[in-house]
Amino acid sequence: MPQIAGVRREQLYSPNHVGNDAMIFMKTVEHLTELGADVKIYEEQDLAKIEIKEQFVFSMAQGVEGTEILLQLEKQGKFIINSPQGSINSYRSNMVKILPEKGIPFPKSLIVSIDEKDKIKFEDFNARKIWIKRGDVHAVHREDVTLVYSEDERKNIFREFEKRGITEVVLQEHLDGDVIKFYAIVGSPLFHWYYLNGVNHTPFDKDKLVELAQNSAMALGLDVYGGDAVVAQDGSISIIDINDWPSFAPVRDEASEQIAKLIFQKVKNLKHSLTLKS
């Protein structure tokens, strides 16, 4: 019986999705148990004061401290899904560099240190509106992802970030078009998407959406992921965000089963590999 540790996400990092994140985690635990695994549950906020003895770990942790602890465990030889390095790569200040470097269509994005809050101004984008996003973890507060229309609004958001101790900020070009949300699991047939806005949707190549999503996950090092894309009026697709292990709320039952299968199979493969080496 495989011994597997599961790390539950701290509620702080589940804004508006506390229940959904908890359910996808517990359903994954249930399916792993049905497959024959023995799962021990840990809390993200406790990682600094406990020891994870299990060799195999699946984790929904997203905070900087918890992710860094898991990264050290990974470097020591533990196998972790999603890889904590993938989680770190999906922090916006890293993602906005990695995806364009890998050829993923992505909006113009600039990273600004809060100490240089007036180095880049609203007018530098030559746009009617831009997005301002915290550079590390995904949104915790409502202001962490904000659409602004003026330099005064930009300054207000930067001041609010500075008060909360946020050290890096991403300014991002706004892309007009149909916004799509998607959920997926590497090696699984599951790829679920739906529109977040609009009614007169522009036709687009759905296979291209899948390709861009998969390439983005691969570039970041994620196995369990979701994200957002924009379809422009000409049908072209841009990725605008990738999320490390989202809630999968619309397809929770199917997703949790597929995630459990992925984890269980990888654990079996690794155990077999370690047996051969010994």
Side-chain angles (χ1 to χ4, degrees), residues 4-49:
I4 303 175
V7 179
R8 186 157 34 198
R9 181 171 296 158
E10 185 175 352
Q11 290 188 6
L12 173 66
Y13 303 109
S14 297
N16 305 315
H17 290 285
V18 171
N20 286 332
D21 282 352
M23 283 190 278
I24 188 67
F25 179 87
M26 290 309 302
K27 280 190 168 290
T28 300
V29 171
E30 290 172 13
H31 285 300
L32 280 169
T33 303
E34 290 168 0
L35 289 169
D38 180 16
V39 181
K40 183 173 181 180
I41 297 174
Y42 298 86
E43 306 296 336
E44 177 178 355
Q45 58 267 33
D46 294 336
L47 288 177
K49 53 191 178 186

Side-chain angles (χ1 to χ4, degrees), residues 21 35 37 59 62 77 114 120 135 145 158 177 184 186-187 210 213 246 254 271:
D21 282 352
L35 289 169
S59 168
Q62 279 193 338
I114 203 71
I120 297 176
V145 177
F158 268 66
V186 168
V210 174
E254 182 183 358
K271 284 173 72 71

Side-chain angles (χ1 to χ4, degrees), residues 110 112 117 120-134 142-161 169-176:
L110 299 174
V112 182
K117 52 183 175 291
I120 297 176
K121 301 182 183 298
F122 180 89
E123 290 77 12
D124 294 333
F125 275 79
N126 191 29
R128 186 171 57 87
K129 51 189 174 181
I130 62 173
W131 291 93
I132 300 181
K133 306 177 179 182
R134 67 182 295 166
R142 184 179 48 135
E143 296 84 0
D144 287 350
V145 177
T146 302
L147 187 62
V148 301
Y149 294 79
S150 69
E151 175 64 7
D152 285 342
E153 289 182 341
R154 183 201 69 78
K155 287 181 177 178
N156 286 337
I157 295 298
F158 268 66
R159 280 194 290 266
E160 197 271 338
F161 281 0
V169 183
V170 172
L171 287 81
Q172 193 169 83
E173 170 191 16
H174 174 79
L175 300 181
D176 290 321

Side-chain angles (χ1 to χ4, degrees), residues 96-278:
V96 301
K97 293 181 286 189
I98 294 171
L99 294 188
E101 287 173 358
K102 295 297 184 179
I104 305 296
F106 197 80
K108 175 186 176 182
S109 303
L110 299 174
I111 304 166
V112 182
S113 167
I114 203 71
D115 296 330
E116 299 178 302
K117 52 183 175 291
D118 294 324
K119 183 178 179 181
I120 297 176
K121 301 182 183 298
F122 180 89
E123 290 77 12
D124 294 333
F125 275 79
N126 191 29
R128 186 171 57 87
K129 51 189 174 181
I130 62 173
W131 291 93
I132 300 181
K133 306 177 179 182
R134 67 182 295 166
D136 50 7
V137 299
H138 288 269
V140 172
H141 292 279
R142 184 179 48 135
E143 296 84 0
D144 287 350
V145 177
T146 302
L147 187 62
V148 301
Y149 294 79
S150 69
E151 175 64 7
D152 285 342
E153 289 182 341
R154 183 201 69 78
K155 287 181 177 178
N156 286 337
I157 295 298
F158 268 66
R159 280 194 290 266
E160 197 271 338
F161 281 0
E162 189 172 23
K163 288 178 184 176
R164 289 167 47 208
I166 295 170
T167 58
E168 281 191 322
V169 183
V170 172
L171 287 81
Q172 193 169 83
E173 170 191 16
H174 174 79
L175 300 181
D176 290 321
D178 299 324
V179 181
I180 287 172
K181 179 167 281 296
F182 56 85
Y183 301 97
I185 301 151
V186 168
S188 160
L190 187 147
F191 188 91
H192 179 78
W193 67 272
Y194 60 92
Y195 288 107
L196 277 179
N197 73 334
V199 290
N200 298 315
H201 299 131
T202 302
F204 68 96
D205 183 347
K206 295 178 179 60
D207 290 337
K208 186 65 176 178
L209 173 64
V210 174
E211 177 189 342
L212 289 175
Q214 290 177 341
N215 288 346
S216 297
M218 188 181 305
L220 297 176
L222 298 174
D223 287 294
V224 182
Y225 67 99
D228 301 278
V230 169
V231 178
Q233 286 188 348
D234 63 359
S236 62
I237 305 168
S238 296
I239 299 295
I240 59 173
D241 201 11
I242 296 291
N243 301 312
D244 164 25
W245 199 322
S247 67
F248 289 88
V251 286
R252 185 184 301 118
D253 290 341
E254 182 183 358
S256 58
E257 183 177 1
Q258 294 295 332
I259 294 168
K261 285 181 178 178
L262 171 71
I263 296 168
F264 195 81
Q265 188 59 51
K266 289 207 171 194
V267 168
K268 281 180 61 179
N269 292 345
L270 280 164
K271 284 173 72 71
H272 181 67
S273 176
L274 291 172
T275 300
L276 291 177
K277 288 181 181 178
S278 62

